[in-house]
Amino acid sequence: MKRFALASATAAALLAALPNAALAHTFGAHDAGLVHGFLHPVGGWDHLLAMVAVGLWAAQRGGKALWALPAAFVGAMIGGGLLGLAGIGLPQVELGIVLSVVALGALIALQSRLPLLASAGVVALFAVFHGHAHGAEMPEAAQPLLYGLGFALSTALLHSAGIGAALSLRRLVEGHKGALALRGTGAVVGLAGVALLALG
């Protein structure tokens, strides 16, 4: 468990250190492939916060949620990516992405205990918007399979980083205070989402 938490924290630090992570969603590179797809989810705070929040919520829930919520997100995101790639429009994609940050933060802050299937459904719904943005913003010269693999891998790592951060937080702050600290982290994520909504 300690190794998992350390690896997740390292992944989060590396992703956070990527240059210009909050500046743009689209890299627009020629022959974009695995690396460009990998970088896309960290191309905006909205994507970054939502994906880490899924991991935080999964760890807060524990049990089957540890794998079910990230799996639901990645699977639905790939479906949304295919819609975007095919040019099938969705209404209010950017709004859906920002609202996912607000909602996921609130679910963590409230320590939501929705049934697992409902929780996976909420996560999957938001993932479709994130995936659609990835697919629609794929550079024309991209290699679709490698690009898609890149953003799926990056997303899974961000989920793992959220899980690792939550588990580390529980170890650092013992007992009831650890649970409160995690809820406070969710509140910060939700407020960041509100700020993104206001700035948008």
Side-chain angles (χ1 to χ4, degrees):
M1 250 345 190
K2 287 183 179 179
R3 288 181 183 175
F4 176 77
L6 180 61
S8 298
T10 302
L14 289 173
L15 289 170
L18 289 169
N20 301 320
L23 297 182
H25 285 150
T26 306
F27 293 88
H30 181 66
D31 291 331
L34 184 69
V35 172
H36 292 90
F38 185 87
L39 291 175
H40 194 267
V42 296
W45 284 111
D46 45 9
H47 291 304
L48 189 66
L49 288 169
M51 292 171 188
V52 171
V54 169
L56 291 171
W57 192 29
Q60 186 183 52
R61 293 286 311 269
K64 292 179 180 178
L66 277 171
W67 61 265
L69 298 189
F73 192 100
V74 173
M77 183 189 67
I78 290 170
L82 291 172
L83 291 176
L85 183 61
I88 299 171
L90 285 180
Q92 302 295 325
V93 171
E94 288 299 322
L95 179 61
I97 291 170
V98 177
L99 287 178
S100 74
V101 179
V102 177
L104 290 167
L107 289 166
I108 297 164
L110 297 172
Q111 203 168 356
S112 172
R113 292 292 175 183
L114 286 172
L116 182 60
L117 190 59
S119 300
V122 168
V123 165
L125 174 65
F126 287 130
V128 171
F129 290 103
H130 286 269
H132 190 278
H134 296 327
E137 294 171 358
M138 184 183 298
E140 287 184 16
Q143 302 168 54
L145 185 59
L146 289 176
Y147 188 90
L149 180 62
F151 74 67
L153 177 60
S154 179
T155 297
L157 284 174
L158 287 168
H159 293 333
S160 297
I163 292 170
L167 295 177
S168 298
L169 188 60
R170 283 182 177 173
R171 285 195 192 87
L172 291 171
V173 186
E174 294 182 13
H176 184 61
K177 290 182 180 177
L180 285 176
L182 184 52
R183 293 179 70 179
T185 303
V188 170
V189 170
L191 289 172
V194 172
L196 290 170
L197 196 57
L199 291 171

